[in-house]
C-alpha cells in the first residue's frame, strides 16, 4: 500500500506542477503565436488556470494521506511547505476574479489595463514562488520517504 500511495501522489503532483510548468513555458507562447495576440491567449489561460488551481487543491488534499501516514523528522517541514502551497492556492484563487474584473470579454478589451497588469504580475509572482515551494516539498518528501524506508529496513525481522 505504501508504494501505491507514493506513486499515486507523485503522479498527481506531477500532473499539477508539471502541467503548470509546461503550460507556462510552452503553451502560453505557442498559443499567443497561433491565436495572434496575448489577449486571445489570455482568454484561454483565464479558464485553464481555474482548472489548474482546482487540480492543485485536489492534489494537496490527497497529499494529506501521506502527511498522516509518514511522520518522520521532516514532518513539520513538509507540513509547513504543504500549508505554504495551500496558501499560495488561496492567494491565486483570490487574485483570479479580481483580474477578471478588469477584462471585458465580450468587447475583447481591458477595462483597466494598468490595474490588470499589476494584479497579473502578482499572480505570476505567487505562481512562481508556489512552484519553488513545490520543489522544496518534493525534496523533503523524498528525504522523508527515504528515512521511513531505512527505518523499516532496520526493524524488519531477518529471515534465515
Amino acid at each position: 500500500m505504501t508504494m501505491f500511495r507514493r506513486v499515486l501522489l507523485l503522479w498527481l503532483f506531477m500532473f499539477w506542477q508539471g502541467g503548470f510548468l509546461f503550460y507556462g513555458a510552452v503553451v502560453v507562447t505557442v498559443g499567443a503565436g497561433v491565436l495572434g495576440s496575448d489577449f486571445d491567449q489570455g482568454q484561454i489561460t483565464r479558464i485553464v488556470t481555474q482548472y489548474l488551481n482546482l487540480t492543485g487543491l485536489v492534489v494537496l488534499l490527497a497529499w494529506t494521506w501521506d502527511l498522516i501516514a509518514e511522520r518522520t523528522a521532516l514532518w513539520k517541514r513538509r507540513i509547513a511547505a504543504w500549508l505554504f502551497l495551500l496558501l499560495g492556492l488561496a492567494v491565486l484563487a483570490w487574485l483570479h476574479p479580481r483580474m477578471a474584473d478588469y477584462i471585458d470579454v465580450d468587447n475583447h478589451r481591458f477595462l483597466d489595463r494598468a490595474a490588470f497588469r499589476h494584479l497579473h504580475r502578482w499572480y505570476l509572482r505567487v505562481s512562481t514562488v508556489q512552484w519553488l515551494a513545490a520543489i522544496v516539498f518534493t525534496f523533503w518528501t523524498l528525504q522523508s520517504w527515504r528515512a521511513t524506508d531505512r527505518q523499516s529496513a532496520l526493524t524488519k525481522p531477518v529471515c534465515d
Side-chain angles (χ1 to χ4, degrees):
M1 189 60 140
T2 298
M3 185 61 76
F4 172 77
R5 181 187 74 245
R6 290 176 178 178
V7 169
L8 175 66
L9 293 174
L10 280 177
W11 274 100
L12 286 173
F13 206 68
M14 287 187 299
F15 180 73
W16 173 39
Q17 287 299 308
F20 162 75
L21 184 59
F22 186 80
Y23 191 83
V26 177
V27 175
V28 170
T29 303
V30 171
V34 169
L35 297 172
S37 79
D38 290 335
F39 187 91
D40 289 339
Q41 172 57 43
Q43 297 314 300
I44 295 169
T45 300
R46 182 174 58 86
I47 297 165
V48 169
T49 52
Q50 292 175 349
Y51 287 103
L52 189 60
N53 291 337
L54 180 60
T55 298
L57 180 61
V58 169
V59 168
L60 288 176
L61 291 176
W63 271 91
T64 60
W65 182 17
D66 190 70
L67 293 170
I68 291 167
E70 305 225 11
R71 292 187 178 203
T72 66
L74 293 169
W75 189 74
K76 288 181 182 178
R77 287 183 186 178
R78 291 178 67 216
I79 289 286
W82 181 88
L83 287 170
F84 190 82
L85 291 168
L86 194 60
L87 175 65
L89 275 178
V91 171
L92 294 175
W94 180 83
L95 282 169
H96 203 271
R98 277 142 192 86
M99 289 187 309
D101 288 343
Y102 295 112
I103 301 172
D104 182 351
V105 176
D106 296 330
N107 293 311
H108 197 76
R109 67 185 183 92
F110 290 104
L111 299 172
D112 186 340
R113 183 182 300 268
F116 173 83
R117 291 193 75 183
H118 175 74
L119 291 176
H120 188 256
R121 282 187 186 118
W122 276 106
Y123 195 93
L124 294 175
R125 288 174 186 138
V126 171
S127 296
T128 301
V129 170
Q130 184 183 56
W131 176 73
L132 292 169
I135 293 171
V136 171
F137 179 75
T138 303
F139 180 75
W140 286 340
T141 295
L142 292 174
Q143 281 186 317
S144 177
W145 289 350
R146 188 175 184 190
T148 299
D149 293 345
R150 283 181 175 164
Q151 187 63 34
S152 293
L154 292 174
T155 59
K156 277 188 180 177
V158 177
C159 297
D160 294 344

